[in-house]
Amino acid sequence: GNSVTQTEGPVTLSEEAFLTINCTYTATGYPSLFWYVQYPGEGLQLLLKATKADDKGSNKGFEATYRKETTSFHLEKGSVQVSDSAVYFCALSDQAGGYNKLIFGAGTRLAVHP
Amino acid sequence: DGGITQSPKYLFRKEGQNVTLSCEQNLNHDAMYWYRQDPGQGLRLIYYSQIVNDFQKGDIAEGYSVSREKKESFPLTVTSAQKNPTAFYLCASSMTVLAKNIQYFGAGTRLSVL
């Protein structure tokens, strides 16, 4: 079945460091891909998305490119801030069952130190 | 402001008790979803509803029940048959069940067993 694998956390960085969180997927067809962010004690917020191959999603300095040839959707940010500390989830949408089913990775906890 | 409201934020369940988690949305979305999040894991789908008076089981529906009597509301009941209910529960909605529609999440309810 479809699945998502992402960098195992925690990832610890200093402020202004470069961030990469890897995400690879297994899917039939052409799923849409998403990055969600979860701040402590809160629900998930959509960070960015891409709906077809070679699309680049971007938001708040974060970017991810839908790479069909490598089945990847890695999240990057050039300079992280303390306020970016959160758990990041990669997800794909699977419509095989006739509905919008999101399949999530396990999440990657990011801690940014001043 | 449009959004998804979950209540209560924290809930405690006694042995053998049924408890109900509330989810209300004012986004005029047709589709609603319930997910369960366990520590260090991604989200797993419990139930979803495409439209009023219709709902379908997700991957882990055993021990849970739902209703969808109004478009705005999708309450989740955790029954006494759910032997391991301690988790963070997230409600989401999307315009329709089409795969490219973004799912928006509430802030969650944390359920613990006394």
Side-chain angles (χ1 to χ4, degrees):
Chain A
N2 295 348
S3 65
V4 175
T5 303
Q6 59 182 102
T7 299
E8 190 171 325
V11 172
T12 304
L13 295 173
S14 298
E15 204 164 26
E16 298 184 2
F18 185 86
L19 168 71
T20 299
I21 299 177
N22 289 335
C23 172
T24 56
Y25 67 90
T26 302
T28 54
Y30 302 92
S32 293
L33 300 173
F34 304 87
W35 276 101
Y36 281 87
V37 58
Q38 185 178 35
Y39 297 102
E42 297 184 10
L44 274 65
Q45 300 175 25
L46 178 69
L47 183 58
L48 52 85
K49 69 168 186 171
T51 58
K52 61 182 188 297
D54 299 325
D55 264 3
K56 177 186 280 188
S58 61
N59 185 27
K60 299 181 182 179
F62 291 90
E63 292 183 341
T65 301
Y66 190 147
R67 301 284 189 202
K68 189 158 179 65
E69 63 276 13
T70 53
T71 62
S72 65
F73 192 55
H74 305 322
L75 182 68
E76 296 182 337
K77 186 175 186 183
S79 176
V80 293
Q81 305 300 312
V82 172
S83 57
D84 293 326
S85 298
V87 180
Y88 293 81
F89 291 94
C90 184
L92 68 81
S93 65
D94 177 358
Q95 188 124 32
Y99 67 95
N100 181 7
K101 177 177 179 177
L102 278 180
I103 296 174
F104 288 86
T108 301
R109 182 175 300 279
L110 170 66
V112 181
H113 299 296
Chain B
D1 285 338
I4 300 174
T5 302
Q6 290 188 240
S7 62
K9 192 171 176 68
Y10 300 96
L11 187 58
F12 298 91
R13 193 190 89 167
K14 295 180 181 178
E15 197 75 33
Q17 185 182 41
N18 293 353
V19 292
T20 298
L21 286 61
S22 170
C23 178
E24 303 276 334
Q25 56 99 358
N26 60 4
L27 299 167
N28 201 32
H29 285 169
D30 282 329
M32 297 186 75
Y33 313 80
W34 274 105
Y35 291 90
R36 171 179 170 138
Q37 184 181 19
D38 292 285
Q41 297 187 32
L43 281 67
R44 293 181 290 168
L45 182 67
I46 305 172
Y47 268 97
Y48 71 98
S49 169
Q50 299 187 59
I51 200 165
V52 174
N53 292 324
D54 173 78
F55 48 84
Q56 305 294 329
K57 293 181 180 180
D59 297 321
I60 55 165
E62 187 174 349
Y64 300 98
S65 66
V66 293
S67 63
R68 186 88 187 274
E69 296 175 2
K70 299 187 299 181
K71 186 174 185 177
E72 304 79 22
S73 179
F74 191 41
L76 173 74
T77 296
V78 184
T79 75
S80 57
Q82 173 48 246
K83 297 306 179 188
N84 183 24
T86 298
F88 191 49
Y89 291 86
L90 288 159
C91 178
S93 71
S94 64
M95 195 174 301
T96 72
V97 293
L98 293 177
K100 297 190 189 317
N101 289 159
I102 296 167
Q103 289 189 24
Y104 296 90
F105 286 80
T109 292
R110 190 166 299 281
L111 176 62
S112 302
V113 177
L114 289 176

